[in-house]
Amino acid sequence: MKIICRCQDVSEDEIIAAIRQGATTIDEIRRLVRAGMGSCQGRTCRRLVAQIISRELKTPPAEIYPPTFRPPNRPVSFELIMAERERQETEDGDKK
Amino acid sequence: MNTAFDAVIIGGGILGIATAYELARAGMKKVCVLERHYLASGSTGRCGGGFRQQWSTEANTLLAMDSVKRLEGLEEELGYHTEFFQGGYLILAHTPEEEQQFAKNVEMQRRLGLDVNIVDADEALKIVPFLNKEMIRKATWCPKDGHINPFLLTQGYANAARRLGVQIHLWTNVVGIMKKSDTFFVMTEAGNTYQTPLLFNCAGGFSRSIGAMLNVEIPVDPYRHEILVTEPVERLWNPMVISFSVGLYARQEMSGGVVMGMGDPNEPVGTFVGSSMHFMYEMAQRFTRLFPKLDKLRIVRQWAGLYEMTADAQPILGPVDEVDNFIQASGFSGHGLMLAPAVSQILADMVINKKKSEVVDSLNVKRLYNLKNVNKEKSVV
Ligand SMILES: Cc1cc2nc3c(=O)[nH]c(=O)nc-3n(C[C@H](O)[C@H](O)[C@H](O)COP(=O)(O)OP(=O)(O)OC[C@H]3O[C@@H](n4cnc5c(N)ncnc54)[C@H](O)[C@@H]3O)c2cc1C
Ligand code: FES
């Protein structure tokens, strides 16, 4: 069994099964079998998933609907966000 | 291409797909769904996945109770795993006013037969640990509410519908509709025309524009609603937690991530669904106020979808006066996933078996043309 998404432990077979159910895009595969939902947010597996769609549906890679990129870029804690906000507010205060 | 169907449904979200399935199950032969992107690409695939029966209006409560009954047997019926999970809903009262309103809601809900209780702060913390106890006066608790995976639910309905012969045409954008005598001509961007005597508007945040194609006013306004998920952690709690005053809801997915979203009263009408930094800050602040001990949780992804609001935050269902056989199922105002299993079945029963439904009658679009005595749903985040 070939693992395509390491973060979420999703195999090539599972991705092919999703395509057989009608999925044609990277977003649908992410939603149906979680490939690309992991902590790297698909950075590692996105291209492999695209290749499988292209091969299974015989569409050129360029014609596959591009995935949506969702922020944040890497996992960030609530604590850090709050600290960043405080820092910005102090900075804004300093400027005034 | 020029094709004839017994029914055409515009919109491949949960409403369109569930309705297609119910029509086919009730015996309709040629049913077609037109979806401009892919399945569940609209609000459905972006939603929080919660289902609750605790509402402030009777119509919403009855529909939601019907839906949950339907959901309880649906995995078996569809032959599909949907992550259906009755982990309950815990709704927090922080102020005396909320306590009063919730007592009224619970009285009405119990009268309709719902198993729902008012609990104190200690009990609430037993159900959902980590809550900031100081902030809680009381809470309402319904153990039979819960959550479900919206993509899997839609896909499960879609697979079952296709087995019954339903056609689902993806990447098919409807750009115009004409009606000549009893036939609708539904035209697509690719230049195809679909003919049908029965047309459903299940276009979610875009249902106003579908109505406009037939000169029917469908007063649904789309608003962006943002949401995020943290990385997976060990099980923290089972229910969906809602606070209307803090303005947030949060639940833990079966895979461990905590999903949370909030309402933003400053959001303008529009169909933009990009993500904002403002949301991340605001959500972090609200969440850590309610769950101070969980500030180390890390966000992995944020996104947004459309709330399809009506003036009374209740859906628009059933026929319209101006055009016969043009059936509405939209304007779900942020709770369409949980109402879809009941609504789709009631509408199919209505058009095929001519069965009357008081709830559907009470939710006819006409009520929104005259806004003097609106009975507004209050329990909305
Ligand atoms: C962040 C967020 C959280 C939510 N949380 C919950 C929750 O916890 N529980 C709950 O029950 N509900 C929730 N909701 C609300 C829920 O998502 C919606 O009420 C529900 O999905 C509506 O389903 P629908 O099928 O009517 O609309 P949609 O899913 O939007 O489907 C409409 C479809 O119509 C298509 N369409 C539009 N115009 C055209 C056209 N011209 N031609 C062809 N196709 C067209 C669109 O592409 C779209 O796919 C939430 C919503 C959001 C945004
Ligand atoms: S490898 Fe798929 S999400 Fe990281």
Side-chain angles (χ1 to χ4, degrees), chain B residues 11 14-15 35-36 43-44 47-50 174 249 305 308 334 336-338:
Chain B
I14 190 63
L15 260 301
E35 163 55 49
R36 74 165 152 217
S43 303
T44 300
C47 89
V174 173
Y249 56 85
E308 351 78 306
L337 185 82
M338 66 180 88

Side-chain angles (χ1 to χ4, degrees), chain A residues 21 31 37 71 76 79 85, chain B residues 40 80 285 295 299 301-302:
Chain A
Q21 280 182 58
R31 292 162 171 209
M37 285 267 195
V76 48
E79 195 182 25
R85 169 145 142 162
Chain B
Y80 205 77
Q285 200 178 36
D295 63 346
I299 304 170
R301 187 169 62 253
Q302 93 180 88

Side-chain angles (χ1 to χ4, degrees), chain B residues 10-16 34-51 89 172-175 202-206 209-210 213 223 225-227 240 249 303-308 329-339:
Chain B
I10 303 174
I14 190 63
L15 260 301
L34 309 179
E35 163 55 49
R36 74 165 152 217
H37 296 124
Y38 50 87
L39 272 193
S41 55
S43 303
T44 300
R46 300 157 183 275
C47 89
F51 57 84
Y89 254 65
T172 303
N173 188 20
V174 173
V175 292
C202 299
F206 299 88
S209 64
I210 299 296
M213 293 178 189
Y223 291 87
H225 191 92
E226 296 189 76
I227 183 164
M240 177 82 94
Y249 56 85
W303 68 97
L306 297 177
Y307 260 30
E308 351 78 306
S330 73
F332 285 85
S333 305
H335 44 272
L337 185 82
M338 66 180 88
L339 298 186

Side-chain angles (χ1 to χ4, degrees), chain B residues 249-267:
Chain B
Y249 56 85
R251 67 145 167 131
Q252 190 171 21
E253 292 184 314
M254 297 321 267
S255 46
V258 181
V259 175
M260 62 188 80
M262 62 174 227
D264 183 348
N266 297 320
E267 192 66 45

Side-chain angles (χ1 to χ4, degrees), chain B residues 174-369:
Chain B
V174 173
V175 292
I177 310 169
M178 266 189 333
K179 194 174 184 200
K180 276 195 219 135
S181 59
D182 287 338
T183 306
F184 292 95
F185 294 81
V186 181
M187 289 158 285
T188 70
E189 193 179 332
N192 298 318
T193 303
Y194 293 75
Q195 293 183 31
T196 183
L198 180 62
L199 183 66
F200 285 83
N201 179 2
C202 299
F206 299 88
S207 46
R208 186 191 279 274
S209 64
I210 299 296
M213 293 178 189
L214 285 162
N215 282 322
V216 178
E217 190 193 347
I218 301 300
V220 171
D221 288 322
Y223 291 87
R224 177 178 65 169
H225 191 92
E226 296 189 76
I227 183 164
L228 62 78
V229 62
T230 71
E231 62 189 357
V233 288
E234 74 284 5
R235 195 122 278 278
L236 299 167
W237 66 77
N238 288 330
M240 177 82 94
V241 186
I242 303 193
S243 159
F244 299 117
S245 352
V246 179
L248 73 73
Y249 56 85
R251 67 145 167 131
Q252 190 171 21
E253 292 184 314
M254 297 321 267
S255 46
V258 181
V259 175
M260 62 188 80
M262 62 174 227
D264 183 348
N266 297 320
E267 192 66 45
V269 178
T271 56
F272 173 68
V273 286
S275 297
S276 77
M277 206 57 201
H278 166 74
F279 165 70
M280 212 187 297
Y281 283 149
E282 190 61 34
M283 194 75 242
Q285 200 178 36
R286 294 184 190 189
F287 183 73
T288 52
R289 247 179 83 206
L290 205 54
F291 294 96
K293 292 190 204 106
L294 297 179
D295 63 346
K296 302 276 189 303
L297 281 183
R298 298 198 306 167
I299 304 170
V300 286
R301 187 169 62 253
Q302 93 180 88
W303 68 97
L306 297 177
Y307 260 30
E308 351 78 306
M309 299 304 297
T310 62
D312 61 4
Q314 302 191 86
I316 297 174
L317 301 181
V320 295
D321 282 353
E322 297 89 333
V323 181
D324 282 347
N325 297 318
F326 180 37
I327 311 294
Q328 313 302 314
S330 73
F332 285 85
S333 305
H335 44 272
L337 185 82
M338 66 180 88
L339 298 186
V343 165
S344 54
Q345 200 180 15
I346 295 171
L347 290 180
D349 232 16
M350 191 185 80
V351 299
I352 294 180
N353 304 320
K354 306 282 171 250
K355 200 164 155 202
K356 287 238 171 263
S357 155
E358 263 175 48
V359 185
V360 169
D361 287 347
S362 76
L363 295 175
N364 191 282
V365 66
K366 266 184 295 191
R367 75 184 192 278
L368 299 170
Y369 295 157

Side-chain angles (χ1 to χ4, degrees), chain B residues 155-169:
Chain B
Q155 190 70 45
Y157 268 121
N159 292 358
R162 285 183 177 124
R163 286 197 294 272
L164 294 174
V166 170
Q167 295 190 27
I168 302 176
H169 294 186

